Amino acid sequence: MSEQLVREHPTISCGIHVDQIYELNLNSRTFTADGQFWLVWPAAVQDLMTAHATTPLDLVRMLNRIETWDSTFDVATPSPVPLSGGRQYQLYTFSSRFYDDTISFRRDPFDSLSLPIILQAAQPWMANKYADIRMIPERPMGALVGESGDLSGYERGGASFKPYLSRATTRFGGWFQPVMAQMRLEMVYRTNVWSALINWVLPLMIVNSIVLMAPSVEGSLGDVRLAIPSTALLTLIFLQQSYHSSLPKLPYSTLLDDLFACSYLVAMTLFGLFVWGTNLYSAAAEDQKVAVMERINRVDRRFQWCSLLAFAVVAALSWWRP
């Protein structure tokens, strides 16, 4: 947004306001938004539009808009409104579904959603090899999202409207890959931390607490000890199935998935440890049973501390992984 950029390139000033967002679908990664955006361009851009027979409706396109058969994208006035200095102002209205390919659930259930609306220069003559049109945000910017921009189950985290340059992934049968100007509205929504703790983390913590307390049961009570990890494994399986019913299919594991995997390994290892301890105690001679029980209890205590460390390491690695 420097003065040098404005001097060296024809620029189009952009503003946007989203009235409401609804019908968020995490499985299809789509959402619906209604609102308006507006463009202001100087006389130099108007001359280029006239030379290339470009109407205001053909000047930009909403890049991630889908299901165009059931959406609207129109100019609010039949022709641009003249402004001082030969500038032209055009207001647009839209109501459409948009695709979001940036949704990440790696930190779920403490994830955040960044819902984008992307405006891109639509005409070939606007590419870097020709007019090299640049899009910049208007200054000052007002509210980007209205009061009806809340999403059920999420807290609003803020919004930004920034310029980008996008290089095409193909030459479209031509001799160069065009670079087109873009403006991207990013609307951030976050899950409620307390709700995520109550709904998902707390049940998992309770099951793991029972598993980690199981080695405190006296080593001579083999039947009681063996029943605890096997029951915990079944509970963990049902918890994870319930958790995944609320998520789309993912090519990676989430934070909670990693904790579930660690819980499975801890419960299974504990079951094996209890089998070893029960067999060792049963096979020991009567005069050796006290010593054997002390050995079993000592190994159990070490297992408890190692398991706590494993949960902390897995949680940290899962949270900070790229």
Side-chain angles (χ1 to χ4, degrees), residues 79 83 112 130 134 145 149 156 164 182 189-190 247 264 315 322:
S79 60
L83 301 178
S112 62
Y130 301 109
R134 299 297 176 88
V145 183
R156 197 186 301 192
Y164 288 83
Q182 287 184 354
Y189 293 86
R190 298 185 177 93
L247 290 177
Y264 290 138

Side-chain angles (χ1 to χ4, degrees), residues 254-273:
T254 66
L255 168 65
L256 203 61
D257 282 331
D258 293 337
L259 292 177
F260 271 117
C262 186
S263 301
Y264 290 138
L265 292 176
V266 168
M268 192 61 201
T269 304
L270 184 64
F271 185 82
L273 183 63

